[in-house]
Amino acid sequence: MRKLLMVLVLAGCAARGEFTMAPEGLAGGTPETIFVGTTRMKDGEVYAFGRSGEPGFLRYDVAIPPEREPGEVNWPPKTRKPDGKRDFLTLDARGFDSADAFSDALRSAMKLRGQTDAVVYVHGFNNTMAEGVYRVAQMHHDLKVPGVAVHYAWPSRGSALGYVYDRDSVMFARSGFVSLLDEVEDAGAREIIIIAHSMGAFLTMEGLRQMALKDGPGALDRIKGVVLIAPDLDLDVFRAQARDIGKLPEPFVIFGSSRDRVLNISATLSGTGDRLGNMESVAQVADLNVIYLDTAAYNTGDGHLNLGENPALLSLFGGLIGIADAFTADARARVGLLPGLVLTVRNATEIVLRPVGAIAEGRPRLAPR
């Protein structure tokens, strides 16, 4: 426990990302537009970690710099001027006076791009407003996700020591998430894909459960796919949520890793065993129609955001994630195209991803369970 506390303290001392406006006339980045719904409390000009009963609606245009590795979010250091070729910078930031104005702007953006799909991202534990927005811009860009990007910024404390606060914020933020999905639908999105990371997966499942319990089975008809990345979610809780939801949206894809150090810490803090994102076997959710992809062989850093940070995985799934037919009912026939082993247990499918070289050489699977 002492070692665990030391890890958390050191993480809490790290510098945090902040929005940096691009100086006028600075060029070099590729713009990505992110629409944001938030239940963070506004503190002056900044959306901080306080909880707001009235949602806010914004739009950010973020410049993605060309001189970086896929998966990287580069923050401009305070020791030099911003560099449009190396740094993530904010080109424009604007707020909307009402939910209707937000929906109108989102509708216009979809029409301009010729899109009828929206991808709603939900950040995880220990995120500031800027970190969430920039990470969504990076993933939407690097994964080449079709559809307009929408981000739900729930009130995370933005501290490694704020785990309990964040879990409480998830419960607080459920209704705000459901309301944002309503606004996206009102904007004309015919298909909505949800991509949630870490504790954001807990929030997503709670939101879907709330919708199903309130409005019945048809409440999730517009949800054409759910992707959970390293979900920080107790297995028993997930199964109970899925039971209340009834039929899960399809496809329902989970990216996990048996080597996820953050989820190992989370399990210790929670006093439980496996989390959904590092479960021992897909047999533990065998009765659910889900696809579980084990990314342990591609671990990057602490292994908690492999899909967003590992260049090989970004290349492998680029253009796939975020569209309903990426993993449709014929997924079991298509997974042979992926570099991994496949294990089907009743309804659930596990894909153990391995580098192509390891498969060619016939090496044993990495990260044994």
Side-chain angles (χ1 to χ4, degrees):
M1 180 60 72
R2 181 179 299 176
K3 182 178 180 181
L4 171 61
L5 290 175
M6 182 60 69
V7 170
L8 292 175
V9 168
L10 290 175
C13 294
R16 306 310 300 256
E18 300 176 353
F19 289 110
T20 302
M21 294 298 299
E24 187 174 353
L26 186 67
T30 301
E32 283 286 349
T33 297
I34 312 297
F35 288 87
V36 179
T38 184
T39 44
R40 290 179 179 270
M41 183 76 73
K42 195 171 185 181
D43 183 5
E45 296 301 314
V46 178
Y47 283 89
F49 62 80
R51 301 166 181 146
S52 173
E54 294 295 326
F57 298 98
L58 307 99
R59 167 184 163 159
Y60 290 93
D61 293 331
V62 178
I64 312 294
E67 295 180 6
R68 66 175 184 98
E69 291 296 321
E72 290 183 348
V73 176
N74 300 332
W75 303 91
K78 299 183 182 300
T79 54
R80 62 167 171 78
K81 295 181 178 179
D83 184 341
K85 294 182 179 180
R86 292 185 287 171
D87 304 328
F88 275 65
L89 299 171
T90 304
L91 300 174
D92 189 24
R94 64 186 65 183
F96 298 98
D97 294 333
S98 66
D100 288 343
F102 173 82
S103 291
D104 288 344
L106 182 56
R107 182 181 299 107
S108 297
M110 288 192 291
K111 184 177 180 179
L112 182 64
R113 296 187 182 190
Q115 297 280 354
T116 58
D117 303 326
V119 184
V120 179
Y121 295 84
V122 187
H123 68 77
F125 161 66
N126 186 16
N127 271 251
T128 66
M129 183 72 159
E131 288 165 349
V133 171
Y134 278 23
R135 178 59 71 182
V136 167
Q138 173 263 313
M139 291 186 64
H140 201 72
H141 178 84
D142 287 347
L143 281 168
K144 302 177 178 64
V145 180
V148 176
V150 181
H151 175 46
Y152 182 54
W154 55 275
S156 166
R157 192 173 185 87
S159 167
L161 301 178
Y163 191 82
V164 174
Y165 181 91
D166 279 15
R167 284 186 66 90
D168 289 343
S169 284
V170 161
M171 306 307 287
F172 168 85
R174 290 175 297 184
S175 295
F177 175 59
V178 173
S179 295
L180 177 61
L181 294 179
D182 289 340
E183 298 303 333
V184 174
E185 183 174 345
D186 289 345
R190 292 193 299 183
E191 297 186 351
I192 300 173
I193 311 296
I194 300 173
I195 300 180
H197 177 234
S198 186
M199 200 178 285
F202 181 24
L203 194 158
T204 294
M205 289 298 294
E206 281 293 298
L208 297 180
R209 174 181 178 271
Q210 180 171 311
M211 293 167 66
L213 291 176
K214 179 182 177 183
D215 297 322
L220 307 184
D221 285 350
R222 285 291 178 95
I223 310 300
K224 298 302 182 181
V226 174
V227 179
L228 305 183
I229 304 171
D232 187 1
L233 179 54
D234 180 271
L235 271 171
D236 292 334
V237 173
F238 174 69
R239 292 180 57 81
Q241 292 167 325
R243 182 171 59 248
D244 287 342
I245 291 170
K247 186 178 184 295
L248 291 173
E250 295 181 21
F252 196 102
V253 185
I254 303 166
F255 284 85
S257 170
S258 54
R259 299 177 180 176
D260 189 325
R261 294 201 298 270
V262 172
L263 291 186
N264 290 337
I265 293 174
S266 173
T268 301
L269 289 173
S270 303
T272 61
D274 290 344
R275 314 300 282 171
L276 179 61
N278 67 348
M279 60 184 173
E280 284 294 324
S281 169
V282 72
Q284 295 169 275
V285 292
D287 57 322
L288 302 175
N289 191 15
V290 301
I291 298 172
Y292 185 91
L293 294 102
D294 183 349
T295 66
Y298 292 87
N299 257 28
T300 301
D302 55 24
H304 195 51
L305 189 56
N306 291 338
L307 178 63
E309 295 180 335
N310 186 287
L313 286 183
L314 287 166
S315 176
L316 178 62
F317 290 99
L320 285 178
I321 297 303
I323 284 297
D325 62 0
F327 291 99
T328 50
D330 66 347
R332 289 169 180 80
R334 297 181 56 183
V335 289
L337 301 175
L338 302 177
L341 305 178
V342 179
L343 172 66
T344 301
V345 183
R346 293 171 65 186
N347 293 325
T349 299
E350 180 180 18
I351 304 171
V352 182
L353 297 173
R354 298 193 298 168
V356 175
I359 295 174
E361 297 172 16
R363 299 176 195 166
R365 63 181 274 189
L366 299 180
R369 293 184 179 279

